[in-house]
């Protein structure tokens, strides 16, 4: 094949690609304001290549006119660059007003080049006819270069202003521009008197593809799929051309003179047409093969999008299992059951199991061995999609549960503050009632005073549980404190034993510890006062850096059902109590860094065990006196 034919093929490919890309950019880039100008650039490149083809084919007037229209190519590119890098902050009014004048100047210069004359036809290496610049045509070339430089200066300014994908696009344009400059330089060799064949121009199709792809690959996602297919078919085309050249060389060696006499250009043309026909038939043949291999219902993007949107609307496991079973059953026209970890039940027939283990989620299909491959494929795809929604639902439920707990905690804090405020406010009317009762008969006054004391005790318990707990630490003897507590009780025949070493010291808030012991002895008296031979025993000892206090009584045992929630408020409420006594005990013990528990295996029906830490002073940094502010909880 002659060099002239190779050049002509290159120009045809560049022109065809430019026309296709121009149309595609106008169609796909309607929402991208810069794309029409880039489409104009591609269209002008197609006309420029067509001009070279016209000269080779013997139409010099048309060819020279199309080549001299070259300044419109960088003009469109400059227009594109200005729109591409424009930002809302910078505005675009100035250059928008100047663009029409620049287009007018470009067209005027092209007209002058046509009548100049701006070019002529000459003979050069590999060509009987090739374009060279003459007279005003050199001004045409200089103006074209200046427009190209201006466009790249605009891009450079945009590179400084932008980041991300737009900046990557600008870098791609610079790289493609350098490649294009290298290829186009050979076009002016004959005009400079250099009798060189313009080999680089044979690669011009690659320049246009690289430029447009580099610009839009980050802006229009569809072109990435188009470029992927285009590269595959281009590779196949080059492979076919290489094979045809090899076959053409071997046919003569094999004695097939008639076939070897066929021009290589015709073999390549036939091969290219065959490849294009294969590309056109690929999609329908692929669908036909899919229907033959996977008979039954077919998958498509719209169906997958429908499944995905429906499954994402579910807010519970039961809802997800029911909806998933309904969607796939309707698609396959067969009963399908879906089993999830917290919902769904496997029925006989087709089953999808979505399960979770320590490694994550996985699915299993059961009962699908006898279905057609098409149905099996749909089951696999649907199960994978369902598995993804299981992960999403699991995360959303965890977030919802955490938010619910946060709101509950916030509600408890607000309720505690409200309770403390109400308790304080209730004491004022109670004081007024107490003063008003001073003039009533003695029996009535005594009854009122008893109820006021009960109300005051309830308020005190409510404040202790819901208010701020401040600890005033000090060292104190435990036995005198216990004796003071016992002296305040109305024993009414209940026997009490106290076994505490005389020198046993405790470090803590003596008032709060006294409150703990009063609550425990009050509870013990309330439950064992009416028992025959009622007895309460309090003992204490130190062991392994801890002080242990035991409060035993022989009253009725606490039922096992109440053990787990014994120290919760309002759980084990005795007659006349507030239901907060044991909850207050636990809170005070926790504030001291200690523990409280109930036991029934110490030889008594009911035993409460208090555990204090002796080295709490070291833990608090030996700060005396020390205050700890403990909020509710």
């Amino acid at each position: 094949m002659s060099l002239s034919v190779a050049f002509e093929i290159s120009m045809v490919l560049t022109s065809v690609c430019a026309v296709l890309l121009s149309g595609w950019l106008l169609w796909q880039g309607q929402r991208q304001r810069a794309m029409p100008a880039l489409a104009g650039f591609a269209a002008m490149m197609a006309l420029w290549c067509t001009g070279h083809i016209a000269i080779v084919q013997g139409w010099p007037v048309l060819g020279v006119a199309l080549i001299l229209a070259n300044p419109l190519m960088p003009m469109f590119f400059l227009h594109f660059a200005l729109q591409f890098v424009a930002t809302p902050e910078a505005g675009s009014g100035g250059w928008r007003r100047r663009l029409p004048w620049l287009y007018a100047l470009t067209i005027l210069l092209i007209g002058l080049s046509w009548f100049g004359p701006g070019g002529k036809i000459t003979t050069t290496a590999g060509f009987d006819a090739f374009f060279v610049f003459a007279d005003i045509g050199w001004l045409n070339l200089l103006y074209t270069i200046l427009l190209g430089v201006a466009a790249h200066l605009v891009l450079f300014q945009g590179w400084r202003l932008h980041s991300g994908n737009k900046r990557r696009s600008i870098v791609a344009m610079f790289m493609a521009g350098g490649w294009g400059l290298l290829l186009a330089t050979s076009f002016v060799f004959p005009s400079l008197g250099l009798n060189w064949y313009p080999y680089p121009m044979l690669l011009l199709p690659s320049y246009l593809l690289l430029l447009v792809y580099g610009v839009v690959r980050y802006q229009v996602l569809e072109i990435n799929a188009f470029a992927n297919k285009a590269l595959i078919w281009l590779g196949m085309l080059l492979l076919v051309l290489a094979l045809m050249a090899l076959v053409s060389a071997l046919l003569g060696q094999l004695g097939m003179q008639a076939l070897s006499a066929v021009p290589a250009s015709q073999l390549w043309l036939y091969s290219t047409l065959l490849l294009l026909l294969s590309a056109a038939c690929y999609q329908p043949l692929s669908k036909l093969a899919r229907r033959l291999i996977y008979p039954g219902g077919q998958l498509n993007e719209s169906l997958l999008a429908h499944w995905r949107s429906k499954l994402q609307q579910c807010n519970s496991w039961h809802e997800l299992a029911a909806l998933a079973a309904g969607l796939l059953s309707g698609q396959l026209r067969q009963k399908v059951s879906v089993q999830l970890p917290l919902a769904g039940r496997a029925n006989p027939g087709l089953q999808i199991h979505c399960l979770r283990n320590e490694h994550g989620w996985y699915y299993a299909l059961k009962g699908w061995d006898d279905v057609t491959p098409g149905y099996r494929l749909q089951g696999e795809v649907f199960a994978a999609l369902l598995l993804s929604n299981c992960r999403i639902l699991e995360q959303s439920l965890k977030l919802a549960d955490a938010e619910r707990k946060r709101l509950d905690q916030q509600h408890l804090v607000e309720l505690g503050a409200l309770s403390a405020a109400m308790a304080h406010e209730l004491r004022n009317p109670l004081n007024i009632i107490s003063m008003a009762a001073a003039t009533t008969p003695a029996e009535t006054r005594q009854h009122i005073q008893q109820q006021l004391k009960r109300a005051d005790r309830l308020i005190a318990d409510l404040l202790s549980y819901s208010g701020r707990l401040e600890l005033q630490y000090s060292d104190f003897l435990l036995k005198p404190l216990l004796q003071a507590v016992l002296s305040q009780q109305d024993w009414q025949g209940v026997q009490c034993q106290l076994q505490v070493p005389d020198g046993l010291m405790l470090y803590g808030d003596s008032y709060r510890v006294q409150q703990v012991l009063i609550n425990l002895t009050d509870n013990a008296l309330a439950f064992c006062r009416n028992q025959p031979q009622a007895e309460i025993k309090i003992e204490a000892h130190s062991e392994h850096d801890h002080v242990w206090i035991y409060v035993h009584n022989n009253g009725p045992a606490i039922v096992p059902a109440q053990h787990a929630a014994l120290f919760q408020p309002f759980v084990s409420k005795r007659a006349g109590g507030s239901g907060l006594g044991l909850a207050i005990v636990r809170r005070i013990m926790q504030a001291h860094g200690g523990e409280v528990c109930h036991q029934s295996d110490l030889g008594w029906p009911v035993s409460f065990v208090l555990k204090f830490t002796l080295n709490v002073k070291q833990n608090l940094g030996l700060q005396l006196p020390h205050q700890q502010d403990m909020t509710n909880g």
Side-chain angles (χ1 to χ4, degrees):
M1 182 175 61
S2 66
L3 293 176
S4 178
V5 173
F7 178 83
E8 195 171 356
I9 292 175
S10 175
M11 293 298 101
V12 169
L13 286 176
T14 305
S15 181
V16 170
C17 290
V19 170
L20 293 176
L21 285 172
S22 177
W24 188 89
L25 287 170
L26 288 174
W27 174 47
Q28 289 285 350
Q30 294 177 2
R31 289 176 292 182
Q32 302 279 341
R33 62 175 185 173
M35 294 307 163
L38 189 61
F41 167 80
M44 287 310 303
M45 176 163 276
L47 292 177
W48 185 78
C49 293
T50 303
H52 285 285
I53 297 171
I55 291 174
V56 173
Q57 293 295 326
W59 300 322
V61 176
L62 175 62
V64 170
L66 292 177
I67 293 176
L68 288 175
N70 180 52
L72 276 176
M73 195 189 315
M75 184 64 234
F76 276 117
F77 192 75
L78 175 61
H79 187 176
F80 160 76
L82 288 168
Q83 288 185 312
F84 188 76
V85 305
T87 60
E89 296 79 9
S92 57
W95 61 261
R96 281 186 181 275
R97 289 191 296 270
R98 295 185 181 92
L99 272 178
W101 293 101
L102 204 54
Y103 271 110
L105 177 61
T106 303
I107 294 173
L108 175 62
L109 182 59
I110 292 174
L112 293 175
S113 300
W114 285 345
F115 295 102
K120 60 183 180 179
I121 307 301
T122 188
T123 301
T124 186
F127 297 94
D128 294 331
F130 196 83
F131 174 86
V132 293
F133 288 103
D135 299 332
I136 199 172
W138 290 104
L139 179 62
N140 181 295
L141 177 62
L142 178 62
Y143 182 76
T144 301
I145 295 173
L146 290 176
L147 287 178
V149 171
H152 283 79
L153 288 176
V154 171
L155 290 177
F156 177 73
Q157 182 65 20
W159 179 83
R160 296 176 58 189
L161 295 176
H162 294 285
S163 62
N165 283 341
K166 184 155 285 191
R167 193 170 190 175
R168 297 186 188 98
S169 295
I170 293 173
V171 172
M173 280 186 256
F174 268 103
M175 295 176 65
W179 177 246
L181 178 63
L182 179 64
L183 300 182
T185 301
S186 60
F187 160 66
V188 297
F189 286 167
S191 300
L192 298 174
L194 301 174
N195 193 25
W196 297 346
Y197 181 81
Y199 286 103
M201 290 187 69
L202 300 180
L203 299 177
L204 268 179
S206 64
Y207 162 64
L208 188 65
L209 289 172
L210 288 176
L211 177 64
V212 177
Y213 180 57
V215 173
V216 301
R217 66 171 298 192
Y218 299 108
Q219 311 297 323
V220 185
L221 295 179
E222 291 87 346
I223 200 171
N224 291 283
F226 168 79
N228 182 57
K229 295 179 181 179
L231 287 175
I232 293 175
W233 288 107
L234 180 60
M236 293 178 64
L237 176 61
L238 295 176
L239 180 62
V240 168
L241 293 178
L243 287 176
M244 287 299 100
L246 180 62
V247 169
S248 178
L250 293 177
L251 287 177
Q253 302 294 331
L254 298 176
M256 303 178 183
Q257 300 300 330
L259 291 176
S260 62
V262 178
S265 59
Q266 293 185 20
L267 289 176
W268 288 348
L269 180 61
Y270 298 153
S271 301
T272 303
L273 292 176
L274 182 62
L275 192 62
L276 293 176
L277 180 63
S278 300
C281 297
Y282 174 77
Q283 287 295 339
L285 289 176
S286 176
K287 291 181 180 179
L288 177 61
R290 192 176 185 85
R291 289 185 177 276
L292 292 175
I293 297 174
Y294 297 107
Q298 296 296 308
L299 292 171
N300 51 61
E301 290 294 332
S302 60
L303 178 61
L304 293 178
H306 173 70
W307 282 350
R308 189 180 299 109
S309 63
K310 287 293 185 181
L311 293 175
Q312 288 177 350
Q313 297 174 6
C314 297
N315 298 316
S316 69
W317 295 108
H318 290 281
E319 184 182 357
L320 181 61
L323 179 62
L327 286 174
L328 193 55
S329 298
Q331 174 66 17
L332 302 183
R333 297 187 179 89
Q334 294 188 40
K335 183 65 176 178
V336 180
S337 61
V338 174
Q339 182 176 1
L340 302 180
L342 301 177
R345 182 170 57 87
N347 298 319
L350 302 181
Q351 303 172 16
I352 294 180
H353 295 254
C354 289
L355 307 171
R356 200 185 194 290
N357 58 21
E358 63 274 10
H359 302 296
W361 286 91
Y362 68 97
Y363 70 84
L365 302 184
K366 297 184 179 180
W368 293 74
D369 297 333
D370 295 331
V371 300
T372 63
Y375 284 177
R376 174 79 184 196
L377 177 63
Q378 292 186 70
E380 294 277 357
V381 173
F382 186 85
L385 190 62
L386 178 60
L387 204 65
S388 175
N389 280 272
C390 286
R391 297 189 186 98
I392 295 173
L393 180 59
E394 181 184 37
Q395 293 298 321
S396 64
L397 291 177
K398 286 181 179 179
L399 292 174
D401 185 60
E403 178 65 13
R404 184 168 56 254
K405 290 180 179 178
R406 187 190 67 82
L407 293 176
D408 289 344
Q409 185 68 23
Q410 181 180 354
H411 176 71
L412 289 175
V413 172
E414 293 171 352
L415 185 60
L418 179 62
S419 301
M422 291 299 296
H424 280 293
E425 293 298 324
L426 284 175
R427 278 183 167 165
N428 292 328
L430 290 179
N431 290 332
I432 295 173
I433 293 172
S434 178
M435 289 186 293
T439 59
T440 60
E443 183 178 355
T444 303
R445 184 167 62 253
Q446 181 181 6
H447 181 68
I448 292 175
Q449 291 297 334
Q450 288 177 349
Q451 297 302 317
L452 287 175
K453 288 181 180 179
R454 181 185 175 191
D456 188 67
R457 177 63 182 274
L458 292 173
I459 291 173
D461 286 348
L462 190 60
L463 287 172
S464 296
Y465 186 74
S466 62
R468 294 177 62 85
L469 193 60
E470 297 183 354
L471 300 183
Q472 303 289 337
Y473 281 96
S474 64
D475 289 301
F476 61 90
L477 289 170
L478 181 58
K479 188 172 183 178
L481 180 70
L482 281 168
Q483 290 172 339
V485 170
L486 297 180
S487 66
Q488 299 174 20
Q489 302 295 334
D490 182 11
W491 295 99
Q492 297 182 9
V494 177
Q495 298 297 319
C496 180
Q497 300 181 43
L498 182 61
Q499 294 183 0
V500 180
D502 292 337
L504 183 57
M505 297 290 295
L506 193 63
Y507 181 70
D509 188 323
S510 59
Y511 172 75
R512 295 299 183 181
V513 173
Q514 186 180 38
Q515 188 177 5
V516 167
L517 296 170
I518 290 174
N519 285 357
L520 292 178
T521 53
D522 278 351
N523 277 348
L525 282 171
F527 285 106
C528 72
R529 181 176 286 123
N530 297 324
Q531 301 291 323
Q533 299 179 345
E535 186 177 0
I536 296 174
K537 182 178 180 180
I538 301 176
E539 57 180 331
H541 68 273
S542 62
E543 180 182 358
H544 303 303
D545 295 330
H546 293 96
V547 173
W548 301 84
I549 302 176
Y550 302 86
V551 181
H552 310 288
N553 72 80
N554 62 352
I558 300 174
V559 296
Q562 288 186 338
H563 287 180
L566 193 58
F567 295 95
Q568 296 295 327
F570 312 114
V571 173
S572 58
K573 184 176 180 180
R574 60 181 173 85
S578 64
L580 293 172
L582 293 180
I584 293 171
V585 168
R586 184 187 65 171
R587 186 166 182 230
I588 293 175
M589 291 301 297
Q590 289 177 342
H592 280 82
E595 300 175 10
V596 60
C597 66
H598 162 264
Q599 290 185 228
S600 58
D601 57 350
L602 299 178
W604 294 78
V606 179
S607 296
F608 286 93
V609 182
L610 305 174
K611 177 185 176 183
F612 290 90
T613 303
L614 283 177
N615 60 358
V616 66
K617 186 182 297 187
Q618 285 77 14
N619 295 338
L620 292 174
L622 299 177
Q623 298 177 12
L624 295 175
H626 182 79
Q627 291 188 356
Q628 275 190 330
D629 292 343
M630 305 297 296
T631 57
N632 190 6

